[in-house]
Amino acid sequence: KCYYWLYYGSWEQTDFRRALEFARLSAQEAAEARAPEQEARAFEALFSLLLDIGDLDGARQALERALELTAPEDRARRSRLLVNEGLVRMDEGRPALARQAYARALELTDGSEGRRFLRSVHLNIVEADLAVRDLDGAERHLKEAWTHAEPDGSMRTVLLAFDGQVLAARGRSAAAAGALRTALGQQPVAEWAWQIEYHAGSVAEAGGDLLSAERHYERAIGVVE
């Protein structure tokens, strides 16, 4: 468990080399201690790391091992792992399979998982729906995601960013630009700031405002750099 929390601290600081070593040590110690639940947790950590650095094959192997170690009755962990399977499918460019994994994850939920998890799953489905041009599905799951918004409004920026994407897909450029502008006005963290700037650039470009598009794209690059 100590190695696991050392992994977590390193991962949050984006020190992937140390995080990878700590996650491996956590898995190794858990295996020697014959603690399958902790070993599954460590392999889930390895999955997150490998996905972050773009090693899809390694991520898939870690995910498979985590599933093998997870008891059938542990619905909460299995639901999380199915979400992870969906993330891999999306990175593979297979959004239809990602939607299936996310749907299976939702089937295992009972409402006790908390706002953050349920909101994230619905937003993941929105992303997959947009990729396959199922706009009705995207709107439906975005509406569900809003029902799991934080009462303090702390996640409103992310939800507005998805509003902008769905509106843009519907061809409602002005409304999409407004939602994205509002999201940017709430000073999003870097992880979301570049994505919102990118989508705002796409909306501006589609509307023929190339100067605004260029500014948004340049700001997105700046955040990434």
Side-chain angles (χ1 to χ4, degrees):
K1 287 181 179 178
C2 288
Y3 278 130
Y4 177 85
W5 289 113
L6 285 168
Y7 137 77
Y8 192 81
S10 298
W11 180 56
E12 287 220 313
Q13 296 170 35
T14 63
D15 186 345
F16 291 137
R17 189 179 300 278
R18 283 170 57 82
L20 189 60
E21 181 62 19
F22 287 136
R24 284 175 173 162
L25 286 169
S26 181
Q28 178 182 315
E29 292 290 339
E32 291 179 5
R34 298 184 180 181
E37 184 176 344
Q38 182 60 37
E39 190 179 356
R41 195 179 190 192
F43 272 101
E44 195 174 352
L46 282 167
F47 163 84
S48 297
L49 278 167
L50 293 167
L51 187 69
D52 273 350
I53 64 176
D55 182 356
L56 293 183
D57 287 338
R60 195 182 303 104
Q61 291 176 36
L63 182 59
E64 289 171 357
R65 183 60 180 147
L67 278 166
E68 288 172 3
L69 290 162
T70 301
E73 62 271 15
D74 191 345
R75 293 169 62 92
R77 185 181 294 279
R78 286 194 168 274
S79 181
R80 285 204 313 274
L81 293 175
L82 283 167
V83 171
N84 290 338
E85 179 185 332
L87 296 175
V88 171
R89 296 302 189 187
M90 284 297 292
D91 277 4
E92 290 175 338
R94 306 171 80 179
L97 290 177
R99 287 203 308 177
Q100 292 177 16
Y102 295 143
R104 283 158 51 210
L106 280 179
E107 288 172 1
L108 291 175
T109 62
D110 59 11
S112 64
E113 293 77 12
R115 293 175 182 272
R116 180 179 179 180
F117 179 79
L118 293 171
R119 182 178 62 249
S120 294
V121 178
H122 283 292
L123 291 178
N124 285 337
I125 296 176
V126 172
E127 184 180 14
D129 281 340
L130 287 172
V132 299
R133 300 298 296 175
D134 180 0
L135 303 187
D136 290 340
E139 287 186 348
R140 185 169 63 254
H141 285 285
L142 181 54
K143 185 176 180 180
E144 283 291 328
W146 272 102
T147 67
H148 299 294
E150 299 296 337
D152 62 2
S154 58
M155 291 303 297
R156 189 166 178 266
T157 302
V158 175
L159 291 163
L160 283 167
F162 277 92
D163 275 350
Q165 293 177 61
V166 173
L167 288 165
R170 285 290 192 193
R172 299 174 59 191
S173 300
L180 294 168
R181 188 164 51 249
T182 302
L184 287 170
Q186 296 182 353
Q187 299 182 323
V189 296
E191 181 181 356
W192 282 103
W194 80 263
Q195 296 184 62
I196 299 169
E197 291 282 11
Y198 172 79
H199 290 301
S202 297
V203 170
E205 184 177 3
D209 187 350
L210 301 186
L211 288 176
S212 291
E214 185 176 8
R215 285 195 292 270
H216 283 298
Y217 290 145
E218 286 179 342
R219 284 196 289 265
I221 291 170
V223 174
V224 173
E225 293 293 349

